[in-house]
mmCIF file of all heavy atoms in Angstrom:
data_model
loop_
_atom_site.group_PDB
_atom_site.id
_atom_site.type_symbol
_atom_site.label_atom_id
_atom_site.label_comp_id
_atom_site.label_asym_id
_atom_site.label_seq_id
_atom_site.Cartn_x
_atom_site.Cartn_y
_atom_site.Cartn_z
ATOM 1 N N PRO A 451 47.678 -12.107 6.201
ATOM 2 C CA PRO A 451 48.769 -11.418 6.893
ATOM 3 C C PRO A 451 50.101 -11.511 6.162
ATOM 4 O O PRO A 451 50.439 -12.538 5.576
ATOM 5 C CB PRO A 451 48.846 -12.174 8.220
ATOM 6 C CG PRO A 451 48.496 -13.581 7.842
ATOM 7 C CD PRO A 451 47.509 -13.486 6.698
ATOM 8 N N VAL A 452 50.858 -10.419 6.207
ATOM 9 C CA VAL A 452 52.282 -10.440 5.884
ATOM 10 C C VAL A 452 52.992 -10.103 7.187
ATOM 11 O O VAL A 452 52.809 -9.011 7.734
ATOM 12 C CB VAL A 452 52.648 -9.429 4.787
ATOM 13 C CG1 VAL A 452 54.164 -9.426 4.566
ATOM 14 C CG2 VAL A 452 51.930 -9.764 3.485
ATOM 15 N N VAL A 453 53.768 -11.050 7.689
ATOM 16 C CA VAL A 453 54.413 -10.898 8.985
ATOM 17 C C VAL A 453 55.874 -10.503 8.789
ATOM 18 O O VAL A 453 56.612 -11.178 8.067
ATOM 19 C CB VAL A 453 54.339 -12.207 9.794
ATOM 20 C CG1 VAL A 453 55.031 -12.036 11.147
ATOM 21 C CG2 VAL A 453 52.895 -12.639 9.986
ATOM 22 N N VAL A 454 56.267 -9.405 9.416
ATOM 23 C CA VAL A 454 57.659 -8.958 9.378
ATOM 24 C C VAL A 454 58.304 -9.375 10.693
ATOM 25 O O VAL A 454 57.876 -8.941 11.774
ATOM 26 C CB VAL A 454 57.743 -7.435 9.175
ATOM 27 C CG1 VAL A 454 59.187 -6.976 9.259
ATOM 28 C CG2 VAL A 454 57.146 -7.054 7.821
ATOM 29 N N LEU A 455 59.313 -10.225 10.609
ATOM 30 C CA LEU A 455 59.941 -10.840 11.777
ATOM 31 C C LEU A 455 61.408 -10.454 11.881
ATOM 32 O O LEU A 455 62.148 -10.545 10.892
ATOM 33 C CB LEU A 455 59.820 -12.368 11.660
ATOM 34 C CG LEU A 455 60.668 -13.241 12.587
ATOM 35 C CD1 LEU A 455 60.208 -13.108 14.038
ATOM 36 C CD2 LEU A 455 60.583 -14.710 12.133
ATOM 37 N N ARG A 456 61.825 -10.026 13.069
ATOM 38 C CA ARG A 456 63.252 -9.812 13.305
ATOM 39 C C ARG A 456 63.868 -11.130 13.793
ATOM 40 O O ARG A 456 63.249 -11.848 14.588
ATOM 41 C CB ARG A 456 63.477 -8.733 14.357
ATOM 42 C CG ARG A 456 64.972 -8.436 14.584
ATOM 43 C CD ARG A 456 65.200 -7.333 15.597
ATOM 44 N NE ARG A 456 66.628 -7.117 15.818
ATOM 45 C CZ ARG A 456 67.131 -6.246 16.679
ATOM 46 N NH1 ARG A 456 66.305 -5.493 17.400
ATOM 47 N NH2 ARG A 456 68.430 -6.122 16.822
ATOM 48 N N HIS A 457 65.048 -11.444 13.296
ATOM 49 C CA HIS A 457 65.684 -12.693 13.703
ATOM 50 C C HIS A 457 65.884 -12.745 15.217
ATOM 51 O O HIS A 457 65.939 -11.716 15.897
ATOM 52 C CB HIS A 457 67.032 -12.877 12.988
ATOM 53 C CG HIS A 457 68.067 -11.857 13.357
ATOM 54 N ND1 HIS A 457 68.745 -11.858 14.561
ATOM 55 C CD2 HIS A 457 68.546 -10.777 12.683
ATOM 56 C CE1 HIS A 457 69.587 -10.852 14.613
ATOM 57 N NE2 HIS A 457 69.485 -10.165 13.487
ATOM 58 N N ALA A 458 66.005 -13.958 15.740
ATOM 59 C CA ALA A 458 66.190 -14.162 17.170
ATOM 60 C C ALA A 458 67.583 -13.703 17.611
ATOM 61 O O ALA A 458 68.424 -13.326 16.789
ATOM 62 C CB ALA A 458 65.964 -15.631 17.510
ATOM 63 N N LYS A 459 67.818 -13.758 18.917
ATOM 64 C CA LYS A 459 69.062 -13.268 19.496
ATOM 65 C C LYS A 459 70.263 -14.015 18.917
ATOM 66 O O LYS A 459 70.347 -15.238 18.983
ATOM 67 C CB LYS A 459 69.028 -13.446 21.014
ATOM 68 C CG LYS A 459 70.254 -12.908 21.748
ATOM 69 C CD LYS A 459 70.335 -11.397 21.654
ATOM 70 C CE LYS A 459 71.489 -10.854 22.489
ATOM 71 N NZ LYS A 459 71.612 -9.386 22.364
ATOM 72 N N ALA A 460 71.190 -13.246 18.345
ATOM 73 C CA ALA A 460 72.378 -13.830 17.721
ATOM 74 C C ALA A 460 73.630 -13.456 18.504
ATOM 75 O O ALA A 460 73.637 -12.512 19.295
ATOM 76 C CB ALA A 460 72.506 -13.358 16.277
ATOM 77 N N LEU A 461 74.693 -14.185 18.258
ATOM 78 C CA LEU A 461 75.989 -13.887 18.857
ATOM 79 C C LEU A 461 76.416 -12.492 18.424
ATOM 80 O O LEU A 461 76.252 -12.101 17.269
ATOM 81 C CB LEU A 461 77.009 -14.924 18.394
ATOM 82 C CG LEU A 461 78.281 -15.092 19.231
ATOM 83 C CD1 LEU A 461 77.935 -15.635 20.615
ATOM 84 C CD2 LEU A 461 79.261 -16.022 18.519
ATOM 85 N N ALA A 462 76.962 -11.725 19.362
ATOM 86 C CA ALA A 462 77.377 -10.349 19.068
ATOM 87 C C ALA A 462 78.535 -10.332 18.066
ATOM 88 O O ALA A 462 79.334 -11.268 18.013
ATOM 89 C CB ALA A 462 77.795 -9.644 20.347
ATOM 90 N N ARG A 463 78.615 -9.267 17.294
ATOM 91 C CA ARG A 463 79.709 -9.139 16.319
ATOM 92 C C ARG A 463 81.061 -9.217 17.003
ATOM 93 O O ARG A 463 82.010 -9.780 16.461
ATOM 94 C CB ARG A 463 79.589 -7.815 15.566
ATOM 95 C CG ARG A 463 78.449 -7.763 14.562
ATOM 96 C CD ARG A 463 78.589 -6.551 13.668
ATOM 97 N NE ARG A 463 77.486 -6.453 12.710
ATOM 98 C CZ ARG A 463 77.490 -5.613 11.678
ATOM 99 N NH1 ARG A 463 78.519 -4.810 11.479
ATOM 100 N NH2 ARG A 463 76.462 -5.574 10.842
ATOM 101 N N SER A 464 81.149 -8.643 18.207
ATOM 102 C CA SER A 464 82.428 -8.621 18.915
ATOM 103 C C SER A 464 82.874 -10.007 19.354
ATOM 104 O O SER A 464 84.036 -10.211 19.692
ATOM 105 C CB SER A 464 82.315 -7.702 20.139
ATOM 106 O OG SER A 464 81.306 -8.170 21.030
ATOM 107 N N GLU A 465 81.937 -10.965 19.348
ATOM 108 C CA GLU A 465 82.257 -12.318 19.798
ATOM 109 C C GLU A 465 82.379 -13.293 18.626
ATOM 110 O O GLU A 465 82.465 -14.497 18.821
ATOM 111 C CB GLU A 465 81.173 -12.812 20.762
ATOM 112 C CG GLU A 465 81.031 -11.949 22.011
ATOM 113 C CD GLU A 465 79.865 -12.372 22.888
ATOM 114 O OE1 GLU A 465 79.197 -13.370 22.548
ATOM 115 O OE2 GLU A 465 79.611 -11.702 23.906
ATOM 116 N N TRP A 466 82.399 -12.756 17.414
ATOM 117 C CA TRP A 466 82.388 -13.610 16.215
ATOM 118 C C TRP A 466 83.502 -13.170 15.267
ATOM 119 O O TRP A 466 83.616 -11.986 14.941
ATOM 120 C CB TRP A 466 81.030 -13.496 15.528
ATOM 121 C CG TRP A 466 80.883 -14.283 14.265
ATOM 122 C CD1 TRP A 466 80.765 -13.785 12.994
ATOM 123 C CD2 TRP A 466 80.819 -15.703 14.131
ATOM 124 N NE1 TRP A 466 80.624 -14.791 12.083
ATOM 125 C CE2 TRP A 466 80.667 -15.999 12.757
ATOM 126 C CE3 TRP A 466 80.882 -16.754 15.035
ATOM 127 C CZ2 TRP A 466 80.573 -17.290 12.269
ATOM 128 C CZ3 TRP A 466 80.786 -18.049 14.553
ATOM 129 C CH2 TRP A 466 80.627 -18.310 13.192
ATOM 130 N N ASP A 467 84.329 -14.137 14.847
ATOM 131 C CA ASP A 467 85.473 -13.818 13.993
ATOM 132 C C ASP A 467 85.167 -13.942 12.501
ATOM 133 O O ASP A 467 85.914 -13.415 11.675
ATOM 134 C CB ASP A 467 86.654 -14.752 14.330
ATOM 135 C CG ASP A 467 87.201 -14.486 15.726
ATOM 136 O OD1 ASP A 467 87.096 -13.328 16.176
ATOM 137 O OD2 ASP A 467 87.703 -15.436 16.352
ATOM 138 N N GLY A 468 84.092 -14.641 12.154
ATOM 139 C CA GLY A 468 83.783 -14.881 10.744
ATOM 140 C C GLY A 468 82.996 -13.746 10.122
ATOM 141 O O GLY A 468 82.816 -12.674 10.720
ATOM 142 N N PRO A 469 82.504 -13.957 8.898
ATOM 143 C CA PRO A 469 81.671 -12.942 8.228
ATOM 144 C C PRO A 469 80.380 -12.715 9.002
ATOM 145 O O PRO A 469 79.846 -13.645 9.633
ATOM 146 C CB PRO A 469 81.406 -13.553 6.852
ATOM 147 C CG PRO A 469 81.617 -15.015 7.031
ATOM 148 C CD PRO A 469 82.684 -15.158 8.058
#
Side-chain angles (χ1 to χ4, degrees):
V452 176
V453 180
V454 175
L455 166 68
R456 183 178 178 182
H457 65 75
K459 183 67 175 178
L461 200 65
R463 288 192 181 192
S464 60
E465 300 174 3
W466 178 249
D467 293 331

